Amino acid sequence: MAVYCNSAPFSCKAWRNRDPTPLSALLPTRLFSLLQPPFSFHPDRLKLSTCRWDKVASAVVSEESAVGSSSSGTDVFNLTYLEGNSWLWDISGVRVLVDPILVGNLDFGIPWLYDAAKKFLKNFELTDLPQVDCLLITQSLDDHCHLKTLKPLSEMSPNLRVIATPNAKSLLDPLFRNVTYLEPGQESEVEAANGSKVRIQATAGPVLGPPWQRPENGYLVISPQGQLTLYYEPHCVYDKDFLQKEHADIVITPVIKQLLPNFTLVSGQEDAVQLAKLLHAKFIVPMKNGDLDSKGFLASIVQGEGTIESFKELLSKELPDAKTLEPTPGEPLQIPPP
């Protein structure tokens, strides 16, 4: 049963471009219009084996690194980076799969224009995941709502809890039975089998299209006992007015900009510093969502700007007490309360 939330008021600003040219004018329409695939329903729960790729899979589901349930009295985030925009978060026993790309390459359905593969987790598959309590989708495009991955995932578990941007409704409704669509400012709760619960609140992300279009989502994730809050938005695009009343101990954000001629695809650097400062972050986890083995015309004209080291230098001037924690793909990064 889908739950469509759209009642809460919110404000958001248009995506800040270096040039007013809309992205839709630069890229083919098919990049923004994904076809709806056929589907079928199978088991109700997603409980997947970890035998195909022992080294990385065992790290993902390691009991030693996944401790920190609410019964211990301390909330712990275990953040496993799966490259691109993909993550597996264990929040005191609540496992959240974020924007997964685990089946095939990322090509937006037009591989001649762009075709990208992971550099490190080349053999990691859906069947290498542990049991997942929630699927979290930030945006409706293929690099976040990857139908090659979501279709088989839905066949394994059509009743998997899903929280997503309403922009992905036409893609997710045919696949999953238990979807909650959050507008910025709205929140929902996810409960694990061990009784731990986390709250997930949507925030305003980038507007990918005309200025009147609904923004995509970022999220604030609050741990079971409220000891830690995580903020995630994969383009480093945010509504300052919306976030200034919030705080986050952990900020996951890109810090290296990805630029097309006269257009910013993904922000970072000074914008990431201001984001961390705005949220009074104690830990910044930089993601390298542009660091893929890519080919095609679009890949040839995308340029990176800045480095993690230059970000650290900027951060030290604005937020000297904050720590930058670089994730290693496939290995849990544990963050306890400060």
Side-chain angles (χ1 to χ4, degrees), residues 182-249:
L182 295 181
E183 300 276 9
Q186 297 178 329
E187 65 179 50
S188 188
E189 190 173 71
V190 176
E191 183 174 1
N194 68 356
S196 292
K197 299 178 182 179
V198 300
R199 287 191 297 117
I200 298 177
Q201 177 185 338
T203 65
V207 175
L208 303 181
W212 57 84
Q213 182 169 308
R214 173 193 288 115
E216 305 290 341
N217 280 359
Y219 294 102
L220 288 161
V221 182
I222 300 93
S223 64
Q225 299 185 83
Q227 296 173 344
L228 285 170
T229 298
L230 175 147
Y231 173 80
Y232 176 67
E233 196 290 310
H235 281 216
C236 193
V237 177
Y238 50 91
D239 180 355
K240 183 177 180 180
D241 292 337
F242 185 96
L243 290 182
Q244 66 181 358
K245 65 181 182 298
E246 306 291 349
H247 88 280
D249 305 283

Side-chain angles (χ1 to χ4, degrees), residues 13 16 36 77 102 123 142 303 322:
K13 297 179 180 178
R16 291 177 298 164
Q36 186 170 294
F77 275 81
L102 297 173
N123 299 316
D142 203 36
Q303 299 294 323

